[in-house]
Amino acid sequence: MSKKIAIFASGSGSNAEKIIEYFEKNETIEVVVIVCNKKNAGVLERAKRLGVPTFMINQGNFLESDETVNYLQNLNADLIVLAGFLWKVPNNLIEAFRGKIVNIHPALLPAYGGKGMYGHHVHDAVIANKEERSGITIHFVDEVYDNGEIIFQVACPVNADDTPDSLASRIHMLEHSYFPEVIAGVLEDQS
Ligand code: GRF
């Protein structure tokens, strides 16, 4: 039976698209759903184009009920991948999928992580502190923001003339080239 990935995304979904494309021809791993909390998120358009079903969540059913947990358990999801998902994952979901939720963070954790450190806030802070390098971190998710066991990191330089946008695009390129492979590795380790 093939391994099933559920991707959670709130935004543009460029990582989600790379992950879907990477596993498209894989006979043992498939992306079965995109879970999304934002009605007009770019990821919904991508999901439609790529033929991947979507499941919409709202504060009520996600944070205050077992609806999402039940949905993912019925799907037999093996791995939840947070790819630009901006809500904190509630404890019922973490307990039900312990060790089976991974997140990507656009900096070298534990630096530049925690509440409020997302999107351009991360790159703004890295540049304001005149860091010479930043990068990406892929980690398991536990009850604390950006705290779970680190699976993979890779660094890139921060140039003197970088803007948050130029740094973000360098980091996006790293994410696109490493995230799918790292996910494949996590699924392999599970079997
Ligand atoms: C990525 O930079 C990721 O690290 C962060 O959110 C961004 C999502 O980008 N958590 P996209 O929606 O996949 O383009």
Side-chain angles (χ1 to χ4, degrees), residues 11-69:
S12 145
S14 68
N15 278 286
E17 177 158 358
K18 290 287 171 194
I19 297 163
I20 292 164
E21 279 173 353
Y22 184 88
F23 292 111
E24 225 156 32
K25 295 200 172 65
N26 189 309
E27 283 170 10
T28 57
I29 300 175
E30 58 173 327
V31 176
V32 290
V33 69
I34 302 275
V35 176
C36 181
N37 62 315
K38 238 177 131 188
K39 278 202 186 90
N40 49 8
V43 71
L44 296 173
E45 190 49 51
R46 296 186 199 256
K48 197 168 167 195
R49 171 162 47 80
L50 296 163
V52 177
T54 52
F55 181 74
M56 296 305 292
I57 55 173
N58 58 50
Q59 298 260 359
N61 68 12
F62 188 58
L63 301 177
E64 285 147 36
S65 83
D66 285 329
E67 192 180 315
T68 312
V69 173

Side-chain angles (χ1 to χ4, degrees), residues 8 57 59 61-66 68-69 85 87-97 101 141-143:
F8 282 42
I57 55 173
Q59 298 260 359
N61 68 12
F62 188 58
L63 301 177
E64 285 147 36
S65 83
D66 285 329
T68 312
V69 173
F85 182 65
W87 284 356
K88 190 164 185 306
V89 178
N91 288 357
N92 62 340
L93 190 53
I94 291 177
E95 276 155 25
F97 286 87
I101 309 178
V141 172
D142 66 13
E143 285 82 353

